[in-house]
Amino acid sequence: MISSLRGTVLHAGLDTVVLEVSGVGFSVAVPPDVARTARVGHELFLHTHLIVREDAMNLVGFATADELDVFGTLLGVNGVGPKSALGILATLTIDQISEAVDAEDDRPFRKVSGIGPKTAKLIVVQLQGRLAAPTREAAAPAAPDVSDQVVQALMGLGWAERVAIEAVDRVSETASDADRASVGSLLRLTLAALGPAKSGGARG
């Protein structure tokens, strides 16, 4: 069983990433939010579930162990396969899933592509008592990391997203830990690297 992978991102699609681990490339199906944040050339850690079939072996990966646990629990519901379970986690948060099950409300599941009324009801019935209680108070949203904040600042100044990301990545490779931890410092260094001529000219 492959329960986790840590490697360099070789490719990031809409719902798949390819991770190179010790020279081997692993194709992993992931929720869209993981695919969106994966950056080619950067390290990524995933909690994974290996699905073995007669004709194939497929990996599914998640950013957190909790998502992986819920994925495994969903697979235990009659009529819910890997694609449907992944679709549920791509559409609903863990708390939303728990809340719907706790309230015996199958409507959120019926909104997921590929989940019909019968399967939605089965999810609610078969997941009773198998999920953690939903969080009653919304947690504070996680702050974007420093690099993302600098990219957003550069885009606000008119730089194209691709140019901003590449510049921040380039500067981060040689910047000190203190500079990488400070939005102001990393922004100043990146602007210096981009150069005054570019900042006043074409930004594509």
Side-chain angles (χ1 to χ4, degrees):
M1 172 67 76
I2 301 175
S3 58
S4 67
L5 287 174
R6 184 188 299 276
T8 302
V9 179
L10 295 181
H11 169 77
L14 294 176
D15 54 8
T16 306
V17 297
V18 177
L19 287 185
E20 182 180 36
V21 182
S22 300
V24 179
F26 292 87
S27 178
V28 187
V30 294
D33 61 324
V34 174
R36 281 194 301 268
T37 56
R39 293 185 182 174
V40 174
H42 286 232
E43 184 179 84
L44 179 65
F45 176 82
L46 293 173
H47 298 271
T48 58
H49 182 101
L50 178 63
I51 299 167
V52 180
R53 292 176 172 171
E54 290 184 2
D55 57 345
M57 290 191 296
N58 299 306
L59 278 168
V60 182
F62 300 93
T64 69
D66 287 342
E67 288 175 308
L68 178 66
D69 289 343
V70 173
F71 177 78
T73 302
L74 286 168
L75 290 181
V77 177
N78 294 336
V80 176
K83 185 176 180 180
S84 296
L86 192 58
I88 291 170
L89 284 164
T91 305
L92 305 171
T93 66
I94 292 177
D95 276 356
Q96 287 172 332
I97 293 171
S98 297
E99 200 168 66
V101 171
D102 189 49
E104 298 184 8
D105 181 8
D106 66 358
R107 288 174 299 176
F109 301 108
R110 283 191 269 124
K111 296 177 183 178
V112 178
S113 177
I115 300 293
K118 181 179 178 181
T119 302
K121 289 184 183 298
L122 282 172
I123 291 171
V124 169
V125 171
Q126 295 187 19
L127 261 58
Q128 288 291 327
R130 299 177 63 187
L131 297 175
T135 303
R136 294 306 177 187
E137 293 185 9
D145 68 23
V146 171
S147 294
D148 287 341
Q149 291 182 65
V150 173
V151 168
Q152 292 300 317
L154 291 170
M155 290 171 63
L157 294 172
W159 295 94
E161 183 178 14
R162 176 181 58 80
V163 174
I165 290 173
E166 290 177 354
V168 171
D169 288 347
R170 207 163 45 241
V171 170
S172 296
E173 290 177 358
T174 56
S176 67
D177 290 342
D179 286 334
R180 284 197 298 269
S182 166
V183 173
S185 296
L186 190 57
L187 178 58
R188 284 193 295 272
L189 290 172
T190 306
L191 285 170
L194 287 168
K198 285 188 175 181
S199 64
R203 297 178 181 181

